[in-house]
Amino acid sequence: MLGLMPTLRCKAQVSVDIPADSIPMRDVTDTLTLDLDSIATAADSLIHRAIEGKRDRFVPDPIRSMWLAMVFPGGGQIYNRKYWKLPIVYGGFLGCAYALTWNNQMLHDYSQAYLDIMDSDPNTKSYEKMLPMGYDITGKEARFQEMFKNKKNYFRKYRDMSIFAFAGVYLLSVVDAYVDGELSTFDISEDLTLHVAPSVFRTPHANPLFNQNAFGFQCSLNF
């Protein structure tokens, strides 16, 4: 026959006395003072950086940039520190100046040729420069008179268009300088976002049983 033996469990507790002087104690007051000083120093540094960053940011005056663009072409873009626009502005001016010079020269040549072919003076034959070398227009004077007249009117029209284009580039440079200066403080952060997402719309019907769903796009503007 097997017998059950009872189990005896013992718990021992040991007490050791340690001198209080041997335990390193941390001064809570000194630690708290040190942490507050560190926080204050970090806050002052952040405020100083924010002030310096705001001070270093250049905000142009739109009126000043407009007047500079009016007095000196491209001056408004230089004042706004948008130097990449200068090749566009000066390229437009150079293109218009070239077109104006070319059309004005051709207008002058064809006008003189038209005057010479219309008069009865045999010594005025500048129109021959407009013809192939050795070309004889005897018996075709009326045809070439009409041709020179049309050429003269053609180059006069494009000469005038070149003047308007030159003035248009000038006005665009002035408007660009003003608008650029005005929008220099415009908020373009991530808070200003436009989201376009697909959505499902329910089309109402007089009878609820015939309600249908329609698919489309939904726009949401955050500002």
Side-chain angles (χ1 to χ4, degrees):
M1 175 180 259
L2 298 176
L4 297 177
M5 299 297 293
T7 303
L8 179 63
R9 295 180 179 180
C10 298
K11 180 184 292 186
Q13 182 177 1
V14 180
S15 177
V16 180
D17 294 333
I18 300 175
D21 296 338
S22 63
I23 301 177
M25 300 297 292
R26 187 177 181 181
D27 194 344
V28 180
T29 304
D30 294 341
T31 303
L32 182 60
T33 302
L34 181 60
D35 293 340
L36 291 177
D37 292 340
S38 302
I39 294 173
T41 304
D44 291 340
S45 178
L46 292 175
I47 294 174
H48 180 72
R49 290 181 181 178
I51 294 175
E52 289 295 330
K54 186 176 181 181
R55 185 181 303 171
D56 294 340
R57 183 187 176 189
F58 175 71
V59 179
D61 183 9
I63 303 299
R64 179 176 295 180
S65 61
M66 180 186 69
W67 280 107
L68 287 173
M70 292 176 64
V71 174
F72 174 70
Q77 285 72 24
I78 296 175
Y79 171 74
N80 292 337
R81 300 183 181 180
K82 297 300 177 62
Y83 306 108
W84 63 271
K85 294 183 179 180
L86 292 178
I88 300 175
V89 174
Y90 289 124
F93 281 121
L94 289 176
C96 293
Y98 176 79
L100 177 61
T101 304
W102 167 260
N103 289 296
N104 188 60
Q105 182 63 41
M106 297 302 294
L107 172 62
H108 178 268
D109 294 342
Y110 276 103
S111 297
Q112 187 63 41
Y114 178 72
L115 292 175
D116 291 346
I117 200 173
M118 290 295 294
D119 62 18
S120 57
D121 188 358
N123 297 322
T124 55
K125 295 182 179 182
S126 62
Y127 57 87
E128 292 181 351
K129 298 179 182 179
M130 307 294 178
L131 303 174
M133 185 176 296
Y135 188 84
D136 188 12
I137 63 170
T138 303
K140 305 176 183 178
E141 288 82 358
R143 174 187 171 188
F144 279 91
Q145 288 173 1
E146 185 67 22
M147 184 185 69
F148 287 145
K149 180 181 178 181
N150 293 335
K151 285 289 186 179
K152 180 186 65 172
N153 295 333
Y154 173 84
F155 285 107
R156 176 183 287 114
K157 180 181 71 173
Y158 280 94
R159 190 273 311 270
D160 297 341
M161 291 179 62
S162 300
I163 296 175
F164 286 114
F166 196 95
V169 173
Y170 173 77
L171 291 177
L172 283 176
S173 66
V174 174
V175 173
D176 173 76
Y178 176 79
V179 173
D180 194 11
E182 192 70 34
L183 296 180
S184 60
T185 57
F186 186 75
D187 186 8
I188 56 174
S189 62
E190 296 181 355
D191 295 334
L192 297 174
T193 54
L194 177 65
H195 298 281
V196 180
S199 180
V200 179
F201 303 93
R202 177 174 292 275
T203 56
H205 194 273
N207 189 347
L209 297 177
F210 293 97
N211 288 339
Q212 296 180 353
N213 294 331
F215 297 93
F217 292 93
Q218 182 179 8
C219 299
S220 60
L221 178 63
N222 299 327
F223 57 91

